[in-house]
Amino acid sequence: MPFLRILVLRLLTTGITLAGVAVIVFFVIRVVPGNPIAMMLPPGATEADIARLSALYGLDKPLVAQFGIWVAGVVQGDFGTSITTRQPVLALVLGRLPATLELSIMALVIACLLGGAAALTGTRFRGGRTEGAIDVANGMALSVPDFLWGLILILLFGVLVPIFHISGRVTPSLDLPFTTSFYLFESLIRLRFDLWADIVAHMFMPALALAIPLAAITGQLLKQSLKETMNLDYVTLARTKGYGESRVILREALRNAALPTLTLVGVQFTFLIGGTVIIERLFSYEGLGNMAIDAVINRDLPLIQGIVLLFAVIFTAVNLIVDLLYTVLNPRLRHG
Amino acid sequence: MSFLSIRNLSVRLKKGPPLLRRVSLDVAAGEVRGLVGESGAGKSMIGKAVLGILPPSVEVTEGEILLDGIDLLTLPQAQRRRRIGALAALIPQDPLTALNPSHRIGPQITDRLVDILGWTRADADARARNLLAEVQIADPDRVLRSYPHELSGGMRQRILIASAFAAEPKLIVADEPTTALDVTVQKQILKLIAGMQARHGTALLFVTHDLGVVSKVCQKLSVLYAGMVVEDTSVADFYAAPRHAYSAALLAATPKYTDPSAGLTPVPEVVIATVQAEVAAFDRGQAHG
Amino acid sequence: MVDAKAIDGRSMIRRRAGLRLWLSAGWLAVLCAVALLAPWIAPKDPLAQDLFLGRLPPAWVQGAEPGYWLGTDSLGRDVLSRIIHGARVALTVALVAGTITCLVGATLGLMAGFLRGWVDIVISRLIDIWMAFPPVLFSILLIAVLGPGLMSIIIAIVVIDWTRFARVVRAEAMTQGAMDYVASARVAGRGRIGTMVREILPNVLPTIVVLLTLEMGIAVIVEAILSFVNLSISTDDPTWGGMIAEGRTSVHQAWWVLVFPLITLFLTVLSFSQLGEGLKDRFDPVLR
């Protein structure tokens, strides 16, 4: 039962957080100077034109009333209409979400692989030069944010040795047979490996840029945790059973050492998702983040609201999932 | 020819003081040898050296550890591990920390049978069930599916004993196997180890600080002080007439089960001074030689 | 247990940490000097355009023009001079935004962690809400609200990053608050605020200094990101982010427009972060 109570409590605080985000976004963007309606119309538009269009978007009502209308809509799944494209915000946002999700998850996978490899190698050759080199690399990777790694990758593998694409999500001239926006996933399902390779060649560098800082922090923590675990009695006992050292690390230590790292990876993963905003811009990748920056530049209030709220939902969802995962993976808590 | 033969084994902290000073001892096949001494005397260190699990902060400076005639110290790590895994096993001190919390009990008993000795899963599982019955665990099937945290300390120690005997090793190192347990459980576990040892004919290196335990389980005995073997004798001779002053004092300091009212007599300071002088003389000899 | 090797290793770590500290402090000192003296040491006017000198390569590459050491951008502006003047914006943002963020965040964190009660509840909830915002998007949004300019950037950084200080300082203050010396200060008759400022603050200060150093690096990056999205200060003024944005579009034709500001930015961010990490090791009693 305590598990259920924790879950309910968590959902409750999550709700409060999301409500807070909604309130802040709504009121912050209403302070934006410059009438978005005036920007939509050609320069010669009259006051009357502006007023009419404002009324159409509900922007002539008092702020509190606007907020009420917006919340009422959101509850029913209506996030309003984008001012620039005149399409429903929800459809626009959901259309871009898969691109950002695929990018984030690919980055997470890369980060776990890189970080895990660094931690395991460092543990296997602990106390030696290899471990020292891994520590230095980790320190560098941690010191510099994804934005700079992105630029460095563009120079290295986009210009110097051009093996990856540096902009877009897929080569525009390609004929796409997809019905969903999960290009990476769907190309695999449809066994279109030519398309899949093209998509990966576009995604790999932005994903790697996002992954590097997370890989470093994961690697550092996992290595520390592994080294502590390697001194425990059950690991020593496994050594007497005839296993080699690598096998001991993988079989006996890794799982227990990974648990404390997991919570942290969760928090860091939300930072990674936040990083997609600028990385998508940098690589002209057509995801949510890129759309968000355009929306801000175009003063598209309903669209900004929708995107920020969606990001907040993703963040809190990730944290919730990590907490649940932690409980599931830890046998001591599972039966608690 | 002894099954385990340690010759002049010296171990020290890396660039630090010695922990074992030219230790020599033998364990014949099927024989039980006790290793006694105060904490810090190096008795556990000998067990660890035999099993190849010395901590990375210490190093072997000289000597040989012959296991079934082959010096373990000359083998490369992977080969040494394999040989030790095939011939020897450990009953650890603390059952609460010696089982992996994220694996079920079953695999922890059978893993070496399947992974290293190439048994089939079914054979290994059957073997595990028999072993659990042998260590008097009721409902072996449930226990095999349990996680360590679901079992009591005494239960876990029985499982560790079963696991040690799983591959029919020729030698088992028992590192203070009863110290971490309740007094009531201690006796049962001791009886269990003695019984299993007799039935399987396994040689046993029994590390303990408790001379009372030694008299019940062991045939041979090495007394250690500051990493030096001060007496190597049979248990019968030892109780009849200990040769070294330190071991005599140690024996006198052990409470008798027959006469609990006698209380504890600490090892006299004169005896300590004598044995410390011997250690100092040994170190001087090492420095000059 | 005295382990000689551990002592060796420890002193080696300290020596390396010391080198790291000096290298990063050195780079930042040079940068400060360059920023202060920019009008005198910049070889050219950073705003002077000359379309006939567009995209000149750096001095050591074929086709370079003397006097333009690191080449020119597409409008013929001198890259080196623009980097030098860009340092002014970057360092101003780092110092001013970093310090204000630190003051706001640390104060709130200290209050939440030591005073507890409803103060803590309110501040913690605010932190939670803040953590649910994508920070880059939030900062872009704020700049859109506040309008471009140095002031806006600083405000945006403070508004977004105060939680970095608040979270850590709150946790530290809670640990310190539970210690005996705090109780004895209270018993000795010191008030709550007095205890907080006189007893807790000095013990949390090393952490705050480390965070401040790291925050300055972050501020530099945020400024660069905002100028990259073209939302920083006015488009003419040289900023590293703005140069990078321009370099990104012409990376295939003129790599130097991207590479040199990028290297400068990279070294600066690395230095702030290494300085912070180095200070952390210095302050860490286990290593000291």
Side-chain angles (χ1 to χ4, degrees):
Chain A
M1 276 306 102
F3 178 70
L4 212 75
R5 230 180 60 202
I6 292 170
L7 186 72
V8 169
L9 214 70
R10 278 298 311 264
L11 284 174
L12 215 71
T13 47
T14 303
I16 298 175
T17 305
L18 289 179
V21 170
V23 171
I24 291 174
V25 178
F26 187 88
F27 288 100
V28 162
I29 59 177
R30 301 294 133 159
V31 196
V32 177
N35 190 336
I37 299 299
M39 285 176 64
M40 285 169 65
L41 292 167
T46 61
E47 286 290 323
D49 289 335
I50 294 175
R52 220 176 51 231
L53 213 60
S54 297
L56 190 67
Y57 283 96
L59 295 176
D60 54 344
K61 298 192 178 68
L63 273 187
V64 181
Q66 284 187 39
F67 184 67
I69 294 169
W70 182 61
V71 169
V74 165
V75 172
Q76 294 164 28
D78 175 13
F79 287 73
T81 308
S82 156
I83 295 179
T84 36
T85 64
R86 298 171 202 202
Q87 286 170 350
V89 168
L90 192 64
L92 282 174
V93 166
L94 290 183
R96 285 293 187 96
L97 180 64
T100 299
L101 278 184
E102 282 189 346
L103 182 65
S104 309
I105 291 170
M106 186 166 177
L108 180 67
V109 171
I110 295 175
C112 288
L113 289 177
L114 278 180
L120 290 170
T121 320
T123 310
R124 178 66 187 83
F125 303 103
R126 56 192 176 282
R129 257 170 219 280
T130 315
E131 196 194 350
I134 286 174
D135 284 346
V136 170
N138 268 344
M140 282 279 281
L142 258 182
S143 303
V144 180
D146 43 17
F147 175 61
L148 285 186
W149 287 124
L151 286 163
I152 292 166
L153 288 173
I154 285 178
L155 279 172
L156 289 182
F157 302 114
V159 178
L160 206 61
V161 194
I163 44 177
F164 294 109
H165 296 283
I166 58 172
S167 59
R169 192 178 173 203
V170 63
T171 305
S173 58
L174 286 177
D175 195 19
L176 300 178
F178 302 140
T179 48
T180 69
S181 302
F182 288 97
Y183 290 178
L184 188 71
F185 183 68
E186 202 178 334
S187 60
L188 268 185
I189 298 283
R190 288 173 184 269
L191 303 177
R192 289 292 302 272
F193 297 114
D194 53 327
L195 289 178
W196 187 80
D198 183 72
I199 294 162
V200 170
H202 279 88
M203 277 175 73
F204 184 72
M205 286 212 299
L208 184 58
L210 287 166
I212 289 174
L214 178 59
I217 197 155
T218 313
Q220 223 172 44
L221 256 134
L222 184 59
K223 180 162 76 76
Q224 195 186 337
S225 179
L226 266 173
K227 282 173 78 177
E228 282 162 21
T229 311
M230 290 306 284
N231 294 326
L232 298 180
D233 286 352
Y234 60 82
V235 176
T236 307
L237 184 64
R239 290 200 181 100
T240 70
K241 290 179 177 177
Y243 292 108
E245 190 70 7
S246 307
R247 195 92 182 259
V248 169
I249 295 173
L250 290 175
R251 270 199 47 135
E252 301 293 329
L254 183 57
R255 188 154 169 198
N256 295 301
L259 265 179
T261 319
L262 182 71
T263 335
L264 184 116
V265 171
V267 177
Q268 295 289 324
F269 184 49
T270 62
F271 294 159
L272 186 153
I273 297 173
T276 57
V277 175
I278 192 65
I279 291 296
E280 284 180 1
R281 192 69 175 183
L282 188 56
F283 287 90
S284 316
Y285 183 89
E286 294 104 9
L288 266 184
N290 216 342
M291 184 190 240
I293 292 179
D294 284 334
V296 172
I297 291 172
N298 297 327
R299 305 274 192 274
D300 193 337
L301 306 189
L303 190 53
I304 300 172
Q305 276 163 200
I307 296 174
V308 175
L309 202 62
L310 184 61
F311 267 108
V313 169
I314 297 175
F315 281 21
T316 41
V318 167
N319 282 325
L320 204 65
I321 291 170
V322 169
D323 283 0
L324 297 182
L325 213 61
Y326 188 81
T327 325
V328 171
L329 288 183
N330 191 342
R332 266 166 294 190
L333 289 178
R334 192 169 34 197
H335 301 283
Chain B
M1 182 68 200
S2 313
F3 184 73
L4 169 70
S5 179
I6 300 175
R7 293 277 147 260
N8 297 327
L9 181 68
S10 292
V11 168
R12 64 170 184 187
L13 275 174
K14 280 178 179 157
K15 293 180 189 120
L19 298 171
L20 293 180
R21 296 173 156 93
R22 296 181 73 109
V23 165
S24 295
L25 61 86
D26 290 270
V27 183
E31 183 183 67
V32 183
R33 174 175 287 272
L35 270 179
V36 293
E38 308 165 358
S39 52
K43 50 191 193 304
S44 281
M45 204 57 77
I46 296 174
K48 288 196 172 102
V50 170
L51 292 170
I53 48 172
L54 285 172
S57 56
V58 306
E59 58 184 356
V60 174
T61 49
E62 64 169 326
E64 303 178 321
I65 301 173
L66 300 164
L67 190 65
D68 203 13
I70 291 177
D71 184 5
L72 292 175
L73 297 176
T74 59
L75 295 178
Q77 194 199 46
Q79 235 176 305
R80 181 170 64 216
R81 288 247 179 108
R82 232 170 295 135
R83 186 166 181 79
I84 292 168
L87 294 175
L90 168 72
I91 299 176
Q93 173 168 5
D94 187 353
L96 297 185
T97 57
L99 286 168
N100 192 326
S102 60
H103 294 325
R104 291 174 197 276
I105 296 298
Q108 301 203 48
I109 298 176
T110 57
D111 52 4
R112 75 178 103 197
L113 301 178
V114 176
D115 297 341
I116 294 169
L117 302 176
W119 291 35
T120 64
R121 272 252 147 258
D123 287 352
D125 286 346
R127 170 81 175 148
R129 233 168 276 126
N130 288 341
L131 281 163
L132 287 194
E134 200 179 340
V135 295
Q136 294 144 32
I137 285 180
D139 200 359
D141 285 310
R142 185 186 61 83
V143 171
L144 287 175
R145 280 194 313 270
S146 310
Y147 283 97
H149 69 270
E150 298 165 328
L151 305 170
S152 71
M155 193 86 129
R156 288 192 232 182
Q157 191 60 301
R158 285 169 194 274
I159 288 161
L160 286 162
I161 293 167
S163 168
F165 280 94
E168 289 296 349
K170 298 282 185 309
L171 170 75
I172 285 179
V173 177
D175 187 3
E176 309 234 21
T178 58
T179 312
L181 299 173
D182 284 347
V183 187
T184 45
V185 187
Q186 276 186 10
K187 271 191 179 167
Q188 300 169 15
I189 294 292
L190 208 59
K191 228 157 108 190
L192 184 68
I193 295 175
M196 296 273 289
Q197 183 275 329
R199 242 172 296 135
H200 292 259
T202 319
L204 189 61
L205 191 60
F206 200 102
V207 177
T208 180
H209 59 270
D210 189 347
L211 272 175
V213 168
V214 170
S215 65
K216 292 201 186 72
V217 187
C218 306
Q219 294 132 32
K220 293 284 177 55
L221 175 66
S222 296
V223 180
L224 280 138
Y225 183 86
M228 251 171 74
V229 176
V230 295
E231 182 151 3
D232 179 347
T233 176
S234 80
V235 170
D237 291 350
F238 178 79
Y239 280 93
R243 262 171 288 170
H244 195 279
Y246 176 73
S247 24
L250 209 59
L251 187 57
T254 308
K256 312 262 182 311
Y257 289 104
T258 46
D259 182 15
S261 63
L264 286 165
T265 27
V267 177
E269 275 178 39
V270 191
V271 179
I272 297 281
T274 325
V275 69
Q276 273 174 353
E278 274 175 45
V279 171
F282 174 89
D283 284 352
R284 272 200 303 280
Q286 286 290 95
H288 294 301
Chain C
M1 231 195 285
V2 184
D3 191 330
K5 186 143 184 221
I7 295 171
D8 279 359
R10 208 174 290 172
S11 67
M12 209 177 77
I13 289 169
R14 274 202 65 175
R15 218 175 311 133
R16 251 209 336 235
L19 184 69
R20 182 170 76 168
L21 217 64
W22 285 116
L23 276 180
S24 38
W27 169 259
L28 293 174
V30 168
L31 209 63
C32 282
V34 164
L36 282 175
L37 304 173
W40 295 281
I41 58 172
K44 307 274 176 199
D45 178 353
L47 299 177
Q49 304 182 3
D50 186 339
L51 292 177
F52 292 105
L53 295 174
R55 291 186 182 156
L56 287 175
W60 59 90
V61 178
Q62 184 88 46
E65 194 76 24
Y68 294 93
W69 299 105
L70 301 181
T72 60
D73 63 14
S74 57
L75 298 176
R77 295 174 297 193
D78 182 39
V79 169
L80 176 60
S81 305
R82 288 177 71 76
I83 289 179
I84 290 174
H85 279 267
R88 300 191 128 189
V89 177
L91 287 180
T92 312
V93 170
L95 293 177
V96 180
T99 312
I100 301 177
T101 311
C102 171
L103 288 176
V104 174
T107 311
L108 291 176
L110 204 59
M111 279 164 51
F114 184 64
L115 300 180
R116 310 301 302 273
W118 63 267
V119 181
D120 187 24
I121 292 173
V122 170
I123 293 175
S124 299
R125 190 95 337 253
L126 274 180
I127 294 176
D128 276 353
I129 293 174
W130 249 249
M131 297 288 290
F133 273 104
V136 174
L137 184 53
F138 198 10
S139 62
I140 291 169
L141 195 58
L142 280 173
I143 296 296
V145 172
L146 300 165
L150 205 57
M151 221 29 218
S152 308
I153 294 177
I154 290 168
I155 294 173
I157 290 172
V158 175
V159 168
I160 289 157
D161 272 355
W162 65 273
T163 53
R164 283 180 200 273
F165 289 87
R167 266 183 301 153
V168 179
V169 172
R170 173 177 173 271
E172 279 269 300
M174 269 163 69
T175 333
Q176 296 289 341
M179 288 191 183
D180 286 345
Y181 75 89
V182 176
S184 54
R186 297 274 286 141
V187 171
R190 213 169 235 156
R192 270 163 81 76
I193 302 294
T195 314
M196 188 170 90
V197 174
R198 294 290 200 74
E199 307 289 335
I200 305 274
L201 185 59
N203 285 292
V204 187
L205 211 51
T207 311
I208 294 179
V209 171
V210 170
L211 283 177
L212 175 59
T213 321
L214 296 175
E215 180 62 34
M216 288 182 176
I218 292 165
V220 172
I221 277 288
V222 172
E223 193 277 318
I225 286 176
L226 291 173
S227 354
F228 179 83
V229 202
N230 210 352
L231 281 168
S232 173
I233 45 183
S234 76
T235 25
D236 283 344
D237 278 337
T239 60
W240 296 344
M243 297 177 76
I244 288 171
E246 213 227 297
R248 164 75 175 87
T249 56
S250 62
V251 66
H252 290 290
Q253 297 85 30
W255 54 266
W256 52 90
V257 184
L258 175 56
V259 168
F260 296 114
L262 179 58
I263 292 175
T264 319
L265 182 59
F266 184 87
L267 287 177
T268 309
V269 171
L270 191 66
S271 295
F272 273 121
S273 129
Q274 292 299 311
L275 191 66
E277 294 294 326
L279 288 175
K280 189 153 79 186
D281 290 349
R282 273 290 150 94
F283 291 140
D284 189 347
V286 182
L287 279 172
R288 185 169 50 193

